[in-house]
């Protein structure tokens, strides 16, 4: 067992190490990354046989956080880790988007990359290290990989950048980005910000890339020491010969491609140039593909034809035609210019039974968002290996198959839905000001590109429709990139379509207000882009965001001044901490009685020396009744104040009076009148209402002191 290790140091003196050779030696590649007490293990296993009839790389990324890493035991009945949490799925998606563009297009051997959090340090979050450890494991395996690559998490607090921060630092940040890249190019950008400028965002990306380059140098040094890279196969030889021969040298393939071009090139060209709607365009393209397959099945030169082989060739021809139309004529599939945004249509208050709703349509993409208001009882509780938190705002994104005209078996929430929902949630969460717990649900009703960004626009309008205070409206746009590999020319597209995303090289989603950027996410299909291309994309995206905000404000110019009728009202006030038990009562009897009689939900929590009462109810009269009941229970008299009191009982030398339901006191016979009394019953009867002045508490006995006579002049005789 030979341990090979590389160390590097950050500007703040913290050390980061990558190593191999000690763990998981039967895997095709394994690596461990450590920073502080945070450790991640990544393993790569390659399936020995190749899979035919695939149009994609069979890559699976699995990321799991062991509860033991944070010194925790899993909650629930079954005390072991279960299905991955949303936070784990988001990291899987992040690593997948980083690595997938760097595998050979025709590599069809199944690859499984597993990343495990072995130990956790609250001063170093693991997601910024996941890309580094995965890249290292792949780079020392037998896979042909156009790496190494790496990621870093960068935040900014008071204009100071911090690399790979801890969880407490993250709470104070105004910018939070995960940046990935190769030695020369940016490959991935994802994060949230508090309305920062385009220049500030580029500054953070450039800063992060410097640390990425250091990590890549460390990986190269480790790979060199490992010597395993010398035995690296480019990819499965059998598959390589099959695919390379098939697509480049086989005369049959050349014949098929030429025949399709000769017979159908113009038909395909004019379909894509005809500015048709997606559904109509797809039907016509499918009709041509079926004609091609039928025609070639009767061709004596084509023997043992396989449908997927024709599909591959047909896809290549389609991409060539679409790119030719874009580069030569600057015309997009729907007739727009490069910077044009599709027709916008939006409406609020479209569902009368909900607390807030909006529908936003952009071209052939449509999202319906609803807002539901709740109390702190409705918070989204997160309790995993490294995070324990309560979200007062959360957004759920649904992408049903009918939105693209398809039929699919519903298996639950997909990773894509989790990722898109998280992006929209991050875009909006820092601009909301409200005491309520908010759940936003976005249902995509129609999709042809940029449904997550339509969700941001629809959700902003729905929040405003619900009467929720937003600092400024947020919009979202998706930008595309088409590269000409022969000339190096790059075309940036605003508000991309689904087909443009399919044939394109980048999908850059950005959200923001008129003041600045709030969130972003970049996916690449090539091995990265330069600073210039990324910067131009960001500045163009900002123009699109401002255009969209103006359009949205024509539908609803500002949040509604009051909540809608079905929406619950919330009221919050404070009581002394020692009186919390008085409100709850024995076995919760008192608080339950108040909730039932007033039809409200009441939540009590402690904060320092105070108890925070939160009451939620739909009926304002009953809500006020609940407030009054609790205030009566928790009433604390103030020294020198005069209160109305009810005589509850009479004794020989005193009477028991009730100032409120929670405050009772004895009024001594000497404090009833200036006149000397021998019997209380001759002066006061049970049930009488009298006024008393609160004089404070007896320091020795702790009992309250009350006086009735002090309200009268001394020489006054009753």
């Amino acid at each position: 067992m030979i341990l090979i290790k590389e160390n590097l140091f950050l500007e703040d003196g913290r050390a980061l190490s990558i190593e191999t050779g000690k763990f998981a030696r039967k895997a095709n590649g394994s690596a461990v990354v450590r920073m502080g007490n945070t450790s991640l293990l990544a393993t790569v296993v390659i399936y020995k046989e190749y899979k035919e009839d695939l149009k994609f790389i069979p890559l699976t990324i699995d990321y799991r956080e062991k509860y033991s890493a944070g010194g925790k035991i899993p909650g629930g009945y079954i005390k072991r880790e279960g299905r991955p949490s949303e936070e784990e799925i988001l990291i899987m998606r992040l690593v997948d988007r980083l690595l997938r563009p760097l595998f050979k297009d025709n590599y069809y051997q199944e690859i499984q990359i597993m990343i495990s959090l072995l130990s956790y340090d609250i001063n170093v979050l693991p997601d910024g290290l996941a890309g580094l450890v995965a890249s290292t494991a792949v780079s020392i395996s037998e896979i042909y990989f156009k790496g190494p690559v790496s990621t870093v998490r960068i935040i900014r607090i008071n204009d100071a950048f911090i690399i790979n921060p801890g969880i407490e630092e993250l709470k104070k940040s105004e910018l939070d980005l995960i940046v990935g890249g190769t030695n020369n190019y940016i490959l991935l950008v994802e994060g949230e910000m508090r309305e920062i400028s385009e220049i500030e965002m580029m500054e953070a990306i450039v800063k992060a890339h410097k640390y990425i380059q250091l990590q890549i140098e460390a990986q190269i040094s480790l790979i060199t020491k490992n010597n395993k890279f010398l035995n690296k196969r480019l990819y499965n030889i059998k598959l390589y010969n099959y695919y390379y021969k098939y697509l480049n040298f086989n005369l049959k393939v050349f014949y098929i491609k030429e025949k399709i071009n000769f017979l159908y090139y113009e038909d395909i060209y004019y379909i894509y140039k005809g500015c048709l709607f997606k559904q109509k365009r797809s039907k016509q393209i499918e009709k041509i593909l079926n004609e091609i397959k039928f025609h070639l099945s009767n061709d004596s030169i084509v023997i043992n034809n396989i449908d997927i082989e024709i599909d591959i060739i047909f896809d290549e021809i389609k991409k060539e035609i679409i790119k030719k139309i874009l580069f030569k004529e600057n015309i997009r599939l729907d007739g727009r210019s490069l910077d044009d945004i599709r027709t916008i249509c939006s409406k609020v208050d479209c569902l009368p039974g909900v607390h807030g709703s909006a529908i936003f349509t952009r071209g052939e993409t449509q999202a319906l968002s609803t807002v539901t208001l709740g109390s702190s009882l409705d918070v989204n509780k997160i309790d995993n290996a490294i995070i324990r938190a309560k979200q007062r705002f959360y957004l759920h994104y649904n992408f049903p198959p009918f939105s693209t005209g398809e039929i699919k078996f519903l298996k639950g929430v997909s990773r894509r839905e989790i990722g898109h929902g998280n992006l929209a949630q991050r875009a909006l969460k820092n601009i909301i000001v409200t005491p309520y717990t908010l759940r936003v649900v976005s249902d995509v009703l129609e999709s042809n590109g940029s449904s997550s960004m339509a969700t941001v626009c629809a959700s902003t309008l729905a929040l405003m429709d619900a009467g929720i205070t937003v600092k400024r409206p947020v919009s979202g746009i998706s930008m595309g990139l088409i590269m000409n590999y022969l000339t190096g020319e790059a075309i940036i597209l605003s508000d991309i379509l689904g087909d443009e995303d399919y044939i394109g090289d980048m999908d850059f989603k950005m959200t923001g207000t008129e003041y600045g950027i709030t969130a972003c996410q970049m996916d690449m299909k090539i091995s990265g882009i330069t600073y210039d291309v990324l910067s131009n994309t960001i500045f163009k995206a900002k123009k699109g965001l401002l255009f969209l905000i103006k359009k949205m404000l024509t539908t609803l110019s500002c949040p509604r001044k009051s909540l809608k009728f079905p929406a619950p009202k919330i009221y919050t006030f404070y009581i002394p901490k020692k009186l919390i038990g008085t409100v709850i009562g024995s076995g919760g009897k008192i608080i339950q009685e108040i909730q039932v009689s007033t039809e409200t939900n009441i939540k009590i929590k402690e904060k320092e020396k105070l108890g925070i009462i939160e009451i939620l109810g739909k009926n304002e009269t009953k809500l006020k009744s609940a407030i009054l009941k609790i205030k009566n229970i928790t009433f604390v008299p103030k020294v020198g104040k005069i209160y109305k009191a009810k005589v509850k009982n009479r004794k020989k030398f005193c009477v028991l009076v009730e100032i409120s339901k929670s405050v009772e006191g004895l009024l001594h016979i000497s404090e009833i009148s200036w006149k000397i009394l021998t019997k209380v019953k001759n002066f006061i009867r049970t049930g009488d209402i009298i006024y008393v002045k609160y004089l404070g508490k007896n320091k020795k006995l702790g009992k309250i002191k009350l006086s009735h006579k002090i309200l009268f002049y001394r020489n006054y005789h009753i």
Side-chain angles (χ1 to χ4, degrees):
M1 181 171 65
I2 301 173
L3 177 65
I4 304 168
K5 188 174 182 179
E6 282 292 322
N7 295 308
L8 58 99
F9 297 91
L10 304 185
E11 287 180 354
D12 58 11
R14 291 182 297 164
L16 187 154
S17 69
I18 52 176
E19 61 183 59
T20 188
K22 187 176 181 180
F23 296 102
R25 289 176 294 161
K26 283 188 171 57
N28 295 95
S30 68
V32 174
V33 167
R34 305 179 196 274
M35 187 171 180
N37 289 328
T38 296
S39 301
L40 290 165
L41 167 68
T43 60
V44 180
V45 175
I46 311 161
Y47 191 62
K48 293 180 181 179
E49 301 296 327
Y50 71 92
K51 293 189 175 184
E52 295 186 22
D53 300 342
L54 289 177
K55 293 184 179 181
F56 58 90
I57 299 166
L59 171 67
T60 303
I61 307 289
D62 215 344
Y63 171 83
R64 297 300 176 97
E65 294 173 346
K66 309 290 186 183
Y67 273 77
S68 59
K72 293 182 181 179
I73 294 174
Y77 182 74
I78 300 173
K79 298 298 181 182
R80 69 176 299 162
E81 289 82 1
R83 62 183 184 181
S85 66
E86 289 195 4
E87 291 72 31
E88 289 171 317
I89 288 171
L90 292 171
I91 296 176
M92 294 178 200
R93 282 173 50 83
L94 187 143
V95 176
D96 187 290
R97 298 203 314 274
L98 176 73
L99 301 183
R100 189 176 289 274
L102 301 177
F103 290 104
K104 199 73 176 176
D105 290 339
N106 53 349
Y107 193 97
Y108 292 155
Q109 281 180 272
E110 190 172 353
I111 307 163
Q112 185 178 39
I113 300 172
M114 299 187 69
I115 308 168
S116 300
L117 178 66
L118 302 180
S119 65
Y120 170 61
D121 179 352
I122 62 168
N123 296 313
V124 183
L125 287 164
D127 46 6
L129 302 173
L132 169 61
V133 73
S135 170
T136 305
V138 173
S139 296
I140 60 177
S141 72
E142 301 173 0
I143 303 170
Y144 178 81
F145 180 63
K146 295 178 281 187
V149 291
S150 190
T151 56
V152 297
R153 188 169 197 160
I154 184 168
I155 67 170
R156 191 182 72 183
I157 303 174
N158 298 327
D159 297 328
F161 289 110
I162 300 172
I163 299 294
N164 294 339
I167 195 163
E168 292 303 318
E169 292 172 316
L170 191 64
K171 294 175 183 177
K172 305 172 189 174
S173 66
E174 55 204 19
L175 174 149
D176 173 22
L177 279 178
I178 291 182
V179 182
T182 63
N183 208 30
N184 299 314
Y185 301 109
I186 300 298
L187 191 55
L188 178 146
V189 180
E190 180 171 324
E192 64 183 73
M193 313 90 187
R194 295 181 186 270
E195 298 179 283
I196 66 165
S197 69
E198 304 91 301
I199 295 172
E200 289 173 303
M201 183 172 168
M202 279 304 304
E203 183 185 5
I205 292 169
V206 172
K207 181 82 172 176
H209 195 215
K210 291 179 180 178
Y211 288 94
I212 289 170
Q213 291 168 333
L214 291 175
Q215 292 176 6
I216 289 171
E217 287 177 16
Q219 288 183 73
I220 292 170
S221 178
L222 185 79
I223 295 164
T224 305
K225 291 178 182 177
N226 188 57
N227 290 329
K228 196 171 183 178
F229 78 106
L230 296 174
N231 300 320
K232 186 186 294 286
R233 294 178 297 175
L234 288 178
Y235 34 85
N236 184 284
I237 299 301
K238 184 178 179 182
L239 178 62
Y240 172 79
N241 288 339
Y242 165 81
Y243 193 92
Y244 190 82
K245 181 180 178 182
Y246 178 79
L247 287 184
N248 294 278
F249 295 113
N250 194 295
L251 292 176
K252 181 182 73 173
V253 171
F254 178 77
Y255 170 78
I256 291 171
K257 190 169 184 179
E258 288 300 306
K259 190 161 188 176
I260 293 173
N261 280 331
F262 179 74
L263 295 174
Y264 297 100
Y265 186 91
E266 284 193 4
D267 292 336
I268 300 169
Y269 182 89
Y270 284 110
I271 288 172
Y272 281 116
K273 195 180 175 181
C275 306
L276 304 173
F277 286 110
K278 180 182 179 181
Q279 199 168 4
K280 188 173 182 180
R281 183 171 65 243
S282 298
K283 283 182 179 179
Q284 292 188 13
I285 288 293
E286 186 179 0
K287 183 181 178 182
I288 288 179
L289 179 60
N290 290 332
E291 286 180 15
I292 290 169
K293 289 179 179 179
F294 177 77
H295 187 84
L296 291 175
S297 66
N298 298 318
D299 195 311
S300 59
I301 298 177
V302 181
I303 303 169
N304 299 324
N305 174 50
I306 301 172
D307 281 353
I308 196 165
E309 296 175 346
I310 294 177
D311 289 340
I312 292 171
I313 296 168
F314 190 67
D315 271 353
E316 290 298 318
I317 292 171
K318 286 193 301 181
K319 288 179 181 179
E320 289 172 9
I321 288 172
I322 295 171
K323 287 186 176 182
K324 182 179 178 181
I325 294 171
L326 277 168
F327 280 99
K328 298 292 184 183
E329 303 180 45
N330 281 342
I331 297 175
R332 298 168 68 174
L333 296 176
D334 56 0
R336 285 180 293 152
S337 69
L338 304 181
D339 297 333
D340 281 348
I341 293 173
R342 290 172 286 176
T343 304
I344 305 295
C345 177
S346 56
K347 183 182 178 182
V348 296
D349 197 20
C350 42
L351 300 174
V354 302
H355 301 163
S357 62
I359 191 162
F360 181 85
T361 307
R362 176 164 47 195
E364 296 177 79
T365 298
Q366 186 179 73
L368 171 66
S369 286
T370 58
V371 176
T372 307
L373 281 64
S375 70
S376 55
L377 293 169
D378 302 303
V379 295
N380 184 31
K381 296 178 182 178
I382 300 173
D383 187 7
N384 56 36
I386 65 173
I387 299 173
R388 180 171 291 171
K390 295 179 180 179
Q391 290 181 333
R392 292 189 70 100
F393 169 71
Y394 45 98
L395 188 151
H396 295 149
Y397 166 98
N398 299 315
F399 192 85
F402 66 76
S403 64
T404 54
E406 297 175 296
I407 298 174
K408 288 182 181 178
F409 181 71
L410 299 178
K411 299 180 181 179
V413 183
S414 68
R415 292 186 177 187
R416 180 182 181 276
E417 288 173 310
I418 290 171
H420 280 20
N422 179 69
L423 175 61
Q425 179 176 309
R426 299 178 87 177
L428 295 166
K429 73 176 189 179
N430 291 319
I431 59 99
I432 296 170
V433 183
T434 181
Y436 291 91
T437 294
L438 299 175
R439 179 181 184 239
V440 177
V441 177
S442 175
D443 293 294
V444 178
L445 305 182
E446 186 181 359
S447 178
N448 184 13
S450 199
S451 60
S452 62
M453 298 297 94
T455 288
V456 172
C457 298
S459 299
T460 297
L461 288 171
L463 287 165
M464 293 166 66
D465 179 55
I468 300 301
T469 302
V470 294
K471 296 176 184 176
R472 282 162 288 278
V474 180
S475 66
I477 191 169
S478 186
M479 309 293 290
L481 176 73
I482 311 290
M483 295 290 296
N484 187 328
Y485 303 117
L486 297 176
T487 64
E489 184 183 357
I491 290 178
I492 298 170
L493 305 176
S494 296
D495 183 25
I496 59 174
L497 300 170
D499 283 336
E500 290 171 341
D501 183 20
Y502 176 69
I503 66 125
D505 301 300
M506 177 187 75
D507 179 9
F508 183 86
K509 302 179 180 73
M510 193 170 97
T511 69
T513 69
E514 59 180 334
Y515 279 31
I517 304 165
T518 60
C520 69
Q521 185 182 93
M522 184 174 81
D523 299 335
M524 298 296 302
K525 295 178 186 174
I526 55 176
S527 55
I529 54 174
T530 62
Y531 293 156
D532 287 343
V533 173
L534 181 55
S535 179
N536 289 337
T537 303
I538 292 171
F539 277 91
K540 277 194 174 185
K542 184 60 184 294
K543 291 181 181 178
L545 294 180
L546 296 176
F547 173 82
L548 288 165
I549 289 169
K550 288 180 181 178
K551 286 286 186 180
M552 291 163 60
L553 291 177
T554 60
T555 302
L556 189 61
S557 60
C558 63
R560 299 192 188 279
K561 293 181 180 179
S562 60
L563 303 178
K564 291 185 178 180
F565 169 70
K569 312 298 185 292
I570 195 167
Y571 189 84
T572 303
F573 59 97
Y574 299 92
I575 63 171
K577 185 177 178 180
K578 62 184 179 181
L579 294 178
I580 290 176
T582 307
V583 176
I584 295 172
S586 178
K589 184 178 179 180
I590 294 175
I591 195 170
Q592 287 175 16
E593 184 276 325
I594 295 172
Q595 289 182 118
V596 171
S597 64
T598 61
E599 298 178 6
T600 57
N601 289 323
I602 302 172
K603 175 73 181 295
I604 305 176
K605 58 183 178 180
E606 298 177 8
K607 185 179 181 181
E608 298 176 352
K609 295 182 179 180
L610 295 173
I612 304 173
I613 306 287
E614 183 183 86
I615 307 177
L616 190 82
K618 292 185 177 180
N619 187 305
E620 196 162 349
T621 302
K622 292 182 177 181
L623 181 68
K624 288 178 179 178
S625 174
I627 295 167
L628 184 61
K629 285 175 182 286
I630 293 176
K631 286 191 172 181
N632 284 336
I633 292 171
T634 60
F635 172 75
V636 178
K638 294 182 179 180
V639 176
K641 290 286 185 180
I642 299 169
Y643 298 101
K644 186 188 287 187
K646 182 179 181 180
V647 178
K648 299 267 294 187
N649 197 4
R650 295 184 302 177
K651 302 289 183 181
K652 188 174 182 180
F653 297 108
C654 64
V655 292
L656 178 66
V657 298
E658 181 186 73
I659 297 176
S660 73
K661 288 188 176 182
S662 63
V663 179
E664 292 180 344
L666 292 173
L667 179 64
H668 194 265
I669 192 170
S670 64
E671 292 294 337
I672 295 175
S673 173
W674 292 107
K675 183 180 178 181
I676 298 174
L677 302 177
T678 56
K679 292 182 180 180
V680 172
K681 65 180 182 179
N682 295 334
F683 189 79
I684 295 178
R685 293 171 296 180
T686 301
D688 283 352
I689 302 297
I690 63 173
Y691 287 90
V692 295
K693 189 171 185 177
Y694 178 62
L695 303 176
K697 282 189 176 182
N698 186 303
K699 293 183 179 179
K700 290 183 179 180
L701 301 177
K703 295 180 179 180
I704 66 173
K705 296 191 295 181
L706 302 171
S707 177
H708 176 68
K709 71 178 185 180
I710 202 170
L711 303 178
F712 305 96
Y713 293 111
R714 186 164 187 168
N715 60 355
Y716 177 77
H717 297 286
I718 298 175

